[in-house]
Amino acid sequence: MATIDLTSDVVALTGALVDIASESLSEQEIADAVEQALVAVPHLDVVRDGHTIVARTSLGRGERVVIAGHLDTVPANDNFPSRLEDGVLHGLGSCDMKGGVAVALLLAATVSEPVRDVTYVFYDAEEIAAEFNGLGRLARERPDLLAGDFAILMEPSDAGVEAGCQGTMRVDIRTAGERAHAARSWMGSNAIHALAPVLDRLETYVPREVDIDGLVYREGLNAVGIRGGVAGNVVPDEAVVTVNFRFAPDRSEADAHQHLQEVFEGFGLTVTDSAPGALPGLSQPAVAAFVATVAASPRPKFGWTDVAQFTQLGIPALNYGPGDPIYAHKADEHVPVEHLQRVHATLTKWLTA
Amino acid sequence: MATIDLTSDVVALTGALVDIASESLSEQEIADAVEQALVAVPHLDVVRDGHTIVARTSLGRGERVVIAGHLDTVPANDNFPSRLEDGVLHGLGSCDMKGGVAVALLLAATVSEPVRDVTYVFYDAEEIAAEFNGLGRLARERPDLLAGDFAILMEPSDAGVEAGCQGTMRVDIRTAGERAHAARSWMGSNAIHALAPVLDRLETYVPREVDIDGLVYREGLNAVGIRGGVAGNVVPDEAVVTVNFRFAPDRSEADAHQHLQEVFEGFGLTVTDSAPGALPGLSQPAVAAFVATVAASPRPKFGWTDVAQFTQLGIPALNYGPGDPIYAHKADEHVPVEHLQRVHATLTKWLTA
């Protein structure tokens, strides 16, 4: 079985993690290696749940921070194993997010007396459907393991702070008509034509930009699918457009749903997928203190991330990790050595100063 | 395999034909049954071409009439198998056009010495794109089999004479955009939203009505299909709407195409299917003579029918068959028993008097 060495530097450790293949639902080998390395660290209590490993200090500090990263990757794309070249580490998962995992593992092993207690969480199955997500499983079944005052998700954020995240909701809008032969179309009613006002409203929709804690979130309302038609000579009696609404975290899911009902008044909506956003929480003391320490200007997170899982548990959370997220899931995925070293140094200082 | 009995009455035979499923491109079973029944009739020469059956008398009469009907149907719509109730036969294809096919099959089997030679044609794939049409295939490859002085197409025409037919043209209108993650939709451009003006123009289009030889033709312009979408979280970069234009026979295909280019100015059109209309030709002697015999007032034919194929071959042709065409392609498709019997009696008389 694979092993990892927590006395190596952050670049070598990132490379070693990349070299353990861990596509979603195939995390056993990497989880075994992480567990084996962490149980050898005297100042940590280690708990395993499936292929998720939780390692905690218990120093009785007045504050507890959760530092989390997922162990899985998307499928390989001619980018395995790792390769270090000109100050950049290339390879599957280097950016999303084994660089962040390497930083967290080194903090866990080397910072034996942090000024705030730390819960490290290394979890499985983040890159696939939400039902498999290891962090979600813990939140449902072992929320005690996630208890804390503040959480840092080490998703790639260009070595800067990305706060909160937007919510997402998908709805189907269905129109009904009456079938008829296209040669006698006045006998029927065309469900595709009936979608004209829906597309008009989408085309003219002006997405909101909203300032929350000094961060500007940009919403988006998009048709992501459209279908209709029975045959080439038939007036169709049904058509469906699927709309995806990305909403700023000042709206709840219920608010988002109500907004869609207003935008598409007169049409029936069916919600097929929904996940709440997360407020940036920059005014919360724990978050503000972290931002001040890392001297970073927070940016808003547009895409949905597991930050929202912590928000649901009432724990302020943000994204802070090495790697430019633009390269996540790409064949030329990579992480700069400078990001790895800087994030490692910053968090070490924050946990020890 | 299914069999049909040409000694049954026209109602029972129509029901038996409805009960052999024969959606376009799945006509093997019905074509086998028709071929098997016709080769057993001593006074007919039978030729099969694909799933098209041609059966001819060769009595050396001075005149030859072509009597034609298609064997295929549109997809089922909870209307299979047949059901006889209160003098009406219900079921998929009962109206369009297995009633007409049943009449023609009985004429073929029972009128052994018609006063004019007859070519019966039972063909495949009329309800889909013109390229598959069995009659069109014969017209291109075996025009000798279609030779004649006059043609009757037994499409449903309310047991009256419908003259000429409208043309049909199908075009794809495609919009292009740029893909982006739905969470950062301002980085892309939504091809589905770009279809909004196309649906608006369809929704507000006012179709023309035109008088030709005293018959009023009604045109129609309809979306018959729409599609687009990459994934539930992606701004789509392509969308397509398929539009079907039914045009009066005073427009050529080129005229029809130009009209569509004007209606959808600013969008690119791709013609995927096109068939010309047929002028009613009521002044042609063979047409006028038939109309006088059946004592019918001709009406315009809205739907495209294979009358146009005969027009292209220089053979005067009209539609005359049982069933109200309004019910073609509808879930409650049906044909009155009285129509079946009257059309059968009239044609028997015309072929024997």
Side-chain angles (χ1 to χ4, degrees), chain B residues 245-320:
Chain B
F245 182 37
R246 299 292 177 138
F247 53 95
D250 62 332
R251 296 198 206 254
S252 67
E253 289 172 278
D255 293 340
H257 188 212
Q258 187 181 337
H259 178 65
L260 292 182
Q261 286 176 314
E262 288 164 8
V263 170
F264 298 110
E265 199 188 335
F267 293 88
L269 308 187
T270 306
V271 177
T272 59
D273 186 41
S274 177
L279 287 163
L282 294 178
S283 55
Q284 300 191 52
V287 180
F290 176 79
V291 171
T293 303
V294 302
S297 287
R299 295 186 303 270
K301 183 69 180 175
F302 296 120
W304 188 89
T305 78
D306 278 322
V307 161
Q309 307 257 25
F310 290 106
T311 301
Q312 298 289 301
L313 292 170
I315 303 172
L318 48 71
N319 296 285
Y320 174 62

Coordinates of all heavy atoms in Angstrom, one line a residue, chain B residues 245-320:
Chain B
F245 N -43.0 24.8 -42.5 CA -43.8 25.8 -43.2 C -44.7 25.0 -44.2 O -44.2 24.2 -45.0 CB -42.9 26.8 -44.0 CG -43.6 27.9 -44.8 CD1 -44.8 28.4 -44.3 CD2 -43.1 28.3 -46.0 CE1 -45.4 29.4 -45.0 CE2 -43.8 29.3 -46.7 CZ -44.9 29.9 -46.2
R246 N -46.0 25.2 -44.1 CA -46.9 24.6 -45.1 C -47.4 25.7 -46.0 O -48.0 26.7 -45.5 CB -48.1 24.0 -44.3 CG -47.7 22.9 -43.3 CD -47.2 21.7 -44.1 NE -46.7 20.6 -43.2 CZ -47.0 19.3 -43.4 NH1 -47.7 18.9 -44.5 NH2 -46.5 18.4 -42.6
F247 N -47.1 25.6 -47.3 CA -47.4 26.7 -48.2 C -48.3 26.3 -49.3 O -48.3 25.2 -49.8 CB -46.1 27.3 -48.7 CG -45.1 26.3 -49.3 CD1 -45.2 26.2 -50.7 CD2 -44.2 25.6 -48.6 CE1 -44.3 25.3 -51.3 CE2 -43.4 24.7 -49.2 CZ -43.4 24.5 -50.6
A248 N -49.2 27.3 -49.7 CA -50.1 27.1 -50.7 C -49.4 26.9 -52.1 O -48.3 27.3 -52.2 CB -51.0 28.4 -50.8
P249 N -50.1 26.2 -53.0 CA -49.4 25.7 -54.2 C -49.1 26.8 -55.2 O -48.5 26.5 -56.3 CB -50.3 24.6 -54.8 CG -51.7 24.9 -54.2 CD -51.4 25.5 -52.9
D250 N -49.5 28.0 -54.9 CA -49.0 29.1 -55.8 C -47.6 29.5 -55.5 O -47.0 30.3 -56.3 CB -50.0 30.3 -55.7 CG -50.0 31.0 -54.3 OD1 -49.7 30.2 -53.3 OD2 -50.2 32.2 -54.2
R251 N -47.0 29.1 -54.4 CA -45.6 29.3 -54.1 C -44.8 28.1 -54.6 O -45.2 26.9 -54.3 CB -45.3 29.4 -52.6 CG -46.0 30.5 -51.9 CD -45.2 30.7 -50.6 NE -46.0 31.3 -49.5 CZ -45.9 32.6 -49.1 NH1 -45.0 33.4 -49.7 NH2 -46.6 33.0 -48.1
S252 N -43.7 28.3 -55.2 CA -42.7 27.2 -55.5 C -41.9 27.0 -54.2 O -42.0 27.8 -53.3 CB -41.8 27.6 -56.6 OG -41.0 28.7 -56.2
E253 N -41.1 26.0 -54.2 CA -40.2 25.7 -53.1 C -39.3 26.9 -52.9 O -38.9 27.3 -51.8 CB -39.4 24.4 -53.3 CG -40.3 23.2 -53.2 CD -39.6 21.9 -53.6 OE1 -39.5 21.6 -54.8 OE2 -39.1 21.2 -52.7
A254 N -38.8 27.5 -54.0 CA -37.8 28.6 -54.0 C -38.5 29.8 -53.3 O -37.9 30.5 -52.5 CB -37.3 28.9 -55.3
D255 N -39.8 30.0 -53.7 CA -40.6 31.1 -53.1 C -40.7 30.9 -51.6 O -40.6 31.9 -50.8 CB -42.0 31.2 -53.8 CG -41.9 31.6 -55.2 OD1 -40.9 32.2 -55.7 OD2 -42.9 31.4 -55.9
A256 N -41.0 29.7 -51.3 CA -41.3 29.4 -49.9 C -40.0 29.6 -49.1 O -40.0 30.2 -48.0 CB -41.7 27.9 -49.7
H257 N -38.9 29.2 -49.6 CA -37.6 29.4 -49.0 C -37.3 30.9 -48.7 O -36.9 31.3 -47.7 CB -36.5 28.7 -49.8 CG -35.1 28.7 -49.1 ND1 -33.9 28.7 -49.7 CD2 -34.8 28.6 -47.7 CE1 -33.0 28.7 -48.8 NE2 -33.5 28.6 -47.6
Q258 N -37.6 31.7 -49.8 CA -37.3 33.1 -49.7 C -38.2 33.7 -48.6 O -37.7 34.6 -47.8 CB -37.5 33.8 -51.0 CG -37.1 35.2 -51.0 CD -37.3 35.9 -52.4 OE1 -37.5 35.3 -53.4 NE2 -37.5 37.2 -52.3
H259 N -39.4 33.3 -48.6 CA -40.3 33.8 -47.5 C -39.8 33.5 -46.1 O -39.8 34.4 -45.3 CB -41.7 33.2 -47.7 CG -42.7 33.7 -46.7 ND1 -43.1 35.0 -46.6 CD2 -43.3 33.0 -45.7 CE1 -44.0 35.1 -45.6 NE2 -44.1 34.0 -45.0
L260 N -39.3 32.3 -45.9 CA -38.8 32.0 -44.6 C -37.5 32.8 -44.3 O -37.3 33.2 -43.1 CB -38.4 30.5 -44.5 CG -39.6 29.5 -44.6 CD1 -39.1 28.1 -44.4 CD2 -40.6 29.9 -43.5
Q261 N -36.7 33.1 -45.3 CA -35.5 33.9 -45.1 C -35.9 35.3 -44.6 O -35.3 35.9 -43.8 CB -34.6 34.0 -46.3 CG -33.9 32.6 -46.5 CD -33.1 32.6 -47.8 OE1 -33.6 33.0 -48.9 NE2 -31.9 32.1 -47.7
E262 N -37.0 35.8 -45.2 CA -37.5 37.1 -44.8 C -38.1 37.1 -43.4 O -37.8 38.0 -42.6 CB -38.6 37.6 -45.8 CG -38.0 38.0 -47.1 CD -39.1 38.1 -48.2 OE1 -40.3 38.0 -47.9 OE2 -38.6 38.3 -49.4
V263 N -38.9 36.1 -43.1 CA -39.5 36.0 -41.7 C -38.4 35.9 -40.6 O -38.5 36.6 -39.6 CB -40.4 34.8 -41.6 CG1 -40.9 34.6 -40.2 CG2 -41.6 35.0 -42.5
F264 N -37.4 35.1 -40.9 CA -36.3 34.9 -39.9 C -35.0 35.6 -40.3 O -33.9 35.1 -40.0 CB -36.1 33.4 -39.8 CG -37.3 32.6 -39.3 CD1 -38.0 31.8 -40.1 CD2 -37.8 32.9 -38.0 CE1 -39.1 31.1 -39.7 CE2 -38.9 32.2 -37.5 CZ -39.6 31.3 -38.4
E265 N -35.2 36.8 -40.8 CA -34.1 37.6 -41.2 C -33.1 37.8 -40.0 O -33.6 38.0 -38.8 CB -34.5 39.0 -41.6 CG -33.5 39.8 -42.4 CD -33.8 41.2 -42.7 OE1 -35.1 41.5 -42.7 OE2 -32.9 42.0 -42.9
G266 N -31.8 37.6 -40.2 CA -30.9 37.7 -39.1 C -30.5 36.4 -38.6 O -29.5 36.3 -37.8
F267 N -31.2 35.3 -39.0 CA -30.8 34.0 -38.5 C -30.5 33.1 -39.7 O -31.0 33.3 -40.8 CB -32.0 33.3 -37.8 CG -32.3 34.0 -36.5 CD1 -33.2 35.1 -36.4 CD2 -31.7 33.6 -35.3 CE1 -33.5 35.8 -35.2 CE2 -32.0 34.3 -34.1 CZ -32.9 35.3 -34.1
G268 N -29.6 32.2 -39.5 CA -29.3 31.2 -40.6 C -30.3 30.1 -40.7 O -30.7 29.6 -39.6
L269 N -30.7 29.7 -41.9 CA -31.7 28.6 -42.0 C -31.0 27.5 -42.8 O -30.2 27.7 -43.7 CB -32.8 29.1 -42.9 CG -33.6 30.3 -42.5 CD1 -34.9 30.4 -43.4 CD2 -34.0 30.2 -41.1
T270 N -31.3 26.3 -42.3 CA -30.8 25.1 -43.1 C -32.0 24.3 -43.5 O -32.8 23.9 -42.6 CB -29.9 24.2 -42.2 OG1 -28.8 25.0 -41.7 CG2 -29.3 23.0 -43.0
V271 N -32.3 24.1 -44.7 CA -33.4 23.4 -45.2 C -33.1 21.9 -45.0 O -32.1 21.4 -45.5 CB -33.7 23.6 -46.7 CG1 -34.9 22.8 -47.2 CG2 -34.1 25.1 -46.9
T272 N -34.0 21.2 -44.3 CA -33.8 19.7 -44.0 C -34.8 18.9 -44.8 O -34.6 17.7 -44.9 CB -33.9 19.4 -42.5 OG1 -35.2 19.8 -42.1 CG2 -32.8 20.2 -41.8
D273 N -35.8 19.5 -45.3 CA -36.8 18.7 -46.0 C -37.7 19.7 -46.8 O -38.0 20.8 -46.3 CB -37.7 18.0 -44.9 CG -38.7 17.0 -45.6 OD1 -38.3 16.3 -46.5 OD2 -39.9 17.0 -45.1
S274 N -38.0 19.3 -48.0 CA -38.8 20.2 -48.8 C -39.6 19.3 -49.8 O -39.1 18.4 -50.4 CB -37.9 21.1 -49.5 OG -38.6 22.0 -50.4
A275 N -40.8 19.7 -50.0 CA -41.7 19.0 -51.1 C -42.6 20.1 -51.6 O -43.2 20.9 -50.9 CB -42.4 17.9 -50.5
P276 N -42.7 20.1 -52.9 CA -43.5 21.2 -53.6 C -45.0 20.9 -53.4 O -45.4 19.8 -53.1 CB -43.2 21.0 -55.0 CG -42.8 19.6 -55.2 CD -42.1 19.2 -53.9
G277 N -45.8 21.9 -53.5 CA -47.3 21.7 -53.5 C -47.7 21.2 -54.9 O -46.9 21.0 -55.8
A278 N -49.0 21.1 -55.0 CA -49.6 20.7 -56.4 C -50.8 21.6 -56.6 O -51.7 21.7 -55.7 CB -50.0 19.3 -56.4
L279 N -50.8 22.2 -57.7 CA -52.0 23.1 -58.1 C -53.2 22.1 -58.3 O -53.0 21.0 -58.6 CB -51.7 23.8 -59.4 CG -50.7 25.0 -59.2 CD1 -50.1 25.5 -60.5 CD2 -51.4 26.1 -58.4
P280 N -54.4 22.6 -58.0 CA -55.5 21.7 -58.0 C -55.8 21.1 -59.3 O -56.3 20.0 -59.4 CB -56.7 22.6 -57.5 CG -56.2 24.0 -57.6 CD -54.7 24.0 -57.5
G281 N -55.5 21.8 -60.4 CA -55.7 21.2 -61.8 C -57.1 20.8 -62.1 O -57.3 19.8 -62.9
L282 N -58.1 21.5 -61.6 CA -59.5 21.1 -61.8 C -59.9 21.2 -63.2 O -60.9 20.6 -63.7 CB -60.4 21.9 -60.9 CG -60.2 21.7 -59.4 CD1 -61.2 22.6 -58.6 CD2 -60.5 20.2 -59.0
S283 N -59.1 22.0 -64.0 CA -59.5 22.2 -65.4 C -59.0 21.0 -66.3 O -59.3 20.9 -67.5 CB -59.0 23.5 -65.9 OG -57.6 23.6 -65.7
Q284 N -58.1 20.1 -65.8 CA -57.6 19.0 -66.6 C -58.8 18.0 -66.8 O -59.5 17.7 -65.9 CB -56.4 18.4 -65.9 CG -55.3 19.4 -65.7 CD -54.0 18.7 -65.3 OE1 -53.6 17.8 -66.0 NE2 -53.4 19.2 -64.2
P285 N -58.9 17.5 -68.0 CA -60.1 16.7 -68.4 C -60.2 15.4 -67.5 O -61.3 15.1 -67.0 CB -59.8 16.2 -69.8 CG -58.9 17.3 -70.4 CD -58.1 17.8 -69.2
A286 N -59.2 14.7 -67.2 CA -59.3 13.5 -66.4 C -59.8 13.8 -65.0 O -60.6 13.1 -64.5 CB -57.9 12.8 -66.4
V287 N -59.3 14.9 -64.5 CA -59.7 15.3 -63.1 C -61.2 15.7 -63.1 O -62.0 15.3 -62.3 CB -58.9 16.5 -62.6 CG1 -59.3 16.9 -61.2 CG2 -57.4 16.1 -62.6
A288 N -61.6 16.5 -64.1 CA -63.0 17.0 -64.2 C -63.9 15.8 -64.4 O -65.0 15.8 -63.8 CB -63.1 18.0 -65.4
A289 N -63.5 14.8 -65.2 CA -64.4 13.6 -65.4 C -64.6 12.8 -64.2 O -65.7 12.4 -63.9 CB -63.8 12.7 -66.5
F290 N -63.6 12.6 -63.4 CA -63.7 11.9 -62.1 C -64.6 12.6 -61.2 O -65.5 12.1 -60.6 CB -62.4 11.6 -61.5 CG -62.5 10.9 -60.1 CD1 -62.7 9.6 -60.1 CD2 -62.4 11.7 -58.9 CE1 -62.8 8.9 -58.8 CE2 -62.5 11.0 -57.7 CZ -62.8 9.7 -57.7
V291 N -64.4 13.9 -61.1 CA -65.2 14.7 -60.1 C -66.7 14.7 -60.5 O -67.6 14.5 -59.7 CB -64.7 16.2 -60.2 CG1 -65.7 17.1 -59.4 CG2 -63.3 16.3 -59.5
A292 N -67.0 14.7 -61.8 CA -68.3 14.6 -62.3 C -69.0 13.2 -61.9 O -70.1 13.2 -61.4 CB -68.4 14.8 -63.8
T293 N -68.2 12.2 -62.0 CA -68.7 10.8 -61.7 C -69.1 10.7 -60.3 O -70.1 10.1 -59.9 CB -67.6 9.8 -62.1 OG1 -67.3 9.9 -63.5 CG2 -68.2 8.4 -61.8
V294 N -68.2 11.2 -59.4 CA -68.5 11.0 -58.0 C -69.4 12.1 -57.4 O -69.8 12.1 -56.3 CB -67.2 10.9 -57.1 CG1 -66.3 9.7 -57.6 CG2 -66.4 12.2 -57.1
A295 N -69.8 13.0 -58.3 CA -70.7 14.1 -58.0 C -70.3 14.8 -56.7 O -71.1 15.1 -55.8 CB -72.1 13.5 -57.8
A296 N -69.0 15.1 -56.6 CA -68.5 15.8 -55.4 C -68.1 17.2 -55.8 O -67.6 17.5 -56.9 CB -67.3 15.0 -54.9
S297 N -68.2 18.1 -54.8 CA -67.6 19.5 -54.9 C -66.2 19.5 -54.3 O -66.0 19.2 -53.2 CB -68.4 20.5 -54.0 OG -69.7 20.7 -54.6
P298 N -65.2 19.7 -55.2 CA -63.8 19.6 -54.7 C -63.5 20.7 -53.6 O -64.1 21.8 -53.6 CB -63.0 19.9 -56.0 CG -63.9 19.8 -57.1 CD -65.3 20.1 -56.6
R299 N -62.7 20.3 -52.7 CA -62.2 21.2 -51.7 C -60.7 21.3 -51.8 O -60.0 20.4 -52.3 CB -62.6 20.7 -50.3 CG -64.1 20.6 -50.0 CD -64.4 20.2 -48.6 NE -63.8 18.9 -48.3 CZ -64.4 17.8 -48.4 NH1 -65.6 17.7 -48.9 NH2 -63.8 16.7 -48.1
P300 N -60.1 22.3 -51.2 CA -58.6 22.4 -51.2 C -58.0 21.4 -50.2 O -58.6 21.0 -49.2 CB -58.3 23.8 -50.7 CG -59.5 24.1 -49.8 CD -60.7 23.4 -50.4
K301 N -56.8 20.9 -50.5 CA -56.1 19.9 -49.6 C -55.0 20.8 -48.9 O -54.2 21.4 -49.5 CB -55.4 18.8 -50.4 CG -54.8 17.8 -49.5 CD -55.8 16.9 -48.7 CE -55.1 15.9 -47.8 NZ -56.1 15.2 -47.0
F302 N -55.1 20.8 -47.6 CA -54.1 21.5 -46.8 C -52.8 20.8 -46.6 O -51.7 21.3 -46.8 CB -54.7 21.9 -45.5 CG -55.9 22.9 -45.6 CD1 -57.1 22.5 -45.1 CD2 -55.7 24.1 -46.3 CE1 -58.2 23.3 -45.3 CE2 -56.8 24.9 -46.4 CZ -58.1 24.6 -45.9
G303 N -53.0 19.5 -46.2 CA -51.8 18.7 -46.0 C -51.1 18.4 -47.3 O -51.7 18.3 -48.3
W304 N -49.7 18.3 -47.1 CA -49.0 17.8 -48.3 C -49.3 16.3 -48.5 O -49.4 15.6 -47.5 CB -47.5 17.9 -48.0 CG -46.7 17.6 -49.2 CD1 -46.3 18.5 -50.2 CD2 -46.2 16.3 -49.6 NE1 -45.5 17.8 -51.2 CE2 -45.5 16.5 -50.9 CE3 -46.2 15.0 -49.1 CZ2 -44.9 15.5 -51.6 CZ3 -45.6 14.0 -49.8 CH2 -44.9 14.2 -51.0
T305 N -49.7 16.0 -49.7 CA -49.9 14.6 -50.0 C -49.0 14.2 -51.2 O -48.5 15.1 -51.9 CB -51.3 14.2 -50.2 OG1 -51.7 14.6 -51.5 CG2 -52.3 14.8 -49.2
D306 N -49.0 13.0 -51.5 CA -48.2 12.5 -52.6 C -48.9 12.8 -53.9 O -48.3 12.5 -55.0 CB -47.9 11.0 -52.4 CG -46.7 10.8 -51.5 OD1 -45.8 11.6 -51.6 OD2 -46.7 9.8 -50.7
V307 N -50.0 13.5 -53.9 CA -50.5 14.1 -55.1 C -49.4 14.9 -55.8 O -49.3 14.8 -57.1 CB -51.7 15.0 -54.8 CG1 -52.0 16.0 -55.9 CG2 -53.0 14.2 -54.5
A308 N -48.6 15.5 -55.0 CA -47.5 16.3 -55.6 C -46.5 15.5 -56.4 O -45.9 15.9 -57.4 CB -46.8 17.1 -54.5
Q309 N -46.3 14.2 -55.9 CA -45.4 13.3 -56.6 C -45.9 13.1 -58.0 O -45.1 13.0 -59.0 CB -45.2 12.0 -55.9 CG -44.9 12.1 -54.4 CD -43.4 11.8 -54.1 OE1 -42.6 11.9 -55.0 NE2 -43.2 11.4 -52.9
F310 N -47.2 12.8 -58.1 CA -47.8 12.6 -59.5 C -47.7 13.8 -60.3 O -47.5 13.7 -61.5 CB -49.2 12.1 -59.3 CG -49.3 10.7 -58.7 CD1 -49.7 10.4 -57.4 CD2 -48.9 9.6 -59.5 CE1 -49.7 9.2 -56.9 CE2 -49.0 8.3 -59.0 CZ -49.4 8.1 -57.7
T311 N -48.0 15.0 -59.7 CA -47.9 16.2 -60.4 C -46.5 16.4 -61.1 O -46.4 16.8 -62.2 CB -48.2 17.4 -59.5 OG1 -49.5 17.3 -59.0 CG2 -48.2 18.7 -60.3
Q312 N -45.5 16.0 -60.3 CA -44.1 16.1 -60.8 C -43.9 15.1 -62.0 O -43.1 15.4 -62.8 CB -43.1 15.8 -59.7 CG -43.1 16.7 -58.5 CD -42.6 18.1 -58.8 OE1 -41.4 18.2 -59.3 NE2 -43.4 19.1 -58.7
L313 N -44.6 14.0 -62.0 CA -44.5 13.1 -63.1 C -45.4 13.4 -64.2 O -45.5 12.7 -65.2 CB -44.8 11.6 -62.6 CG -43.9 11.0 -61.6 CD1 -44.5 9.7 -61.0 CD2 -42.5 10.7 -62.2
G314 N -46.2 14.5 -64.1 CA -47.1 14.9 -65.2 C -48.4 14.1 -65.2 O -49.1 14.1 -66.2
I315 N -48.7 13.5 -64.1 CA -50.0 12.7 -64.0 C -51.0 13.5 -63.2 O -50.7 13.7 -62.0 CB -49.7 11.3 -63.4 CG1 -48.6 10.6 -64.2 CG2 -51.0 10.5 -63.3 CD1 -48.2 9.3 -63.5
P316 N -52.1 13.9 -63.8 CA -53.2 14.6 -63.0 C -53.6 13.7 -61.8 O -53.7 12.5 -61.9 CB -54.3 14.7 -63.9 CG -53.8 14.5 -65.3 CD -52.6 13.6 -65.1
A317 N -53.8 14.3 -60.6 CA -54.1 13.5 -59.4 C -54.9 14.3 -58.4 O -54.9 15.5 -58.4 CB -52.7 13.1 -58.8
L318 N -55.6 13.6 -57.6 CA -56.4 14.2 -56.5 C -56.5 13.3 -55.4 O -56.1 12.1 -55.4 CB -57.8 14.6 -57.0 CG -58.6 13.6 -57.8 CD1 -59.1 12.5 -56.9 CD2 -59.8 14.4 -58.4
N319 N -57.0 13.8 -54.2 CA -57.2 13.0 -53.0 C -58.6 12.6 -52.9 O -59.5 13.5 -53.1 CB -56.8 13.8 -51.8 CG -55.3 14.2 -51.7 OD1 -54.5 13.3 -51.5 ND2 -55.0 15.4 -52.0
Y320 N -58.9 11.4 -52.6 CA -60.3 11.0 -52.4 C -60.2 9.7 -51.5 O -59.8 8.7 -51.9 CB -60.9 10.6 -53.8 CG -62.3 10.0 -53.6 CD1 -63.4 10.8 -53.1 CD2 -62.6 8.7 -54.1 CE1 -64.6 10.2 -52.9 CE2 -63.9 8.2 -54.0 CZ -64.9 8.9 -53.4 OH -66.2 8.4 -53.3

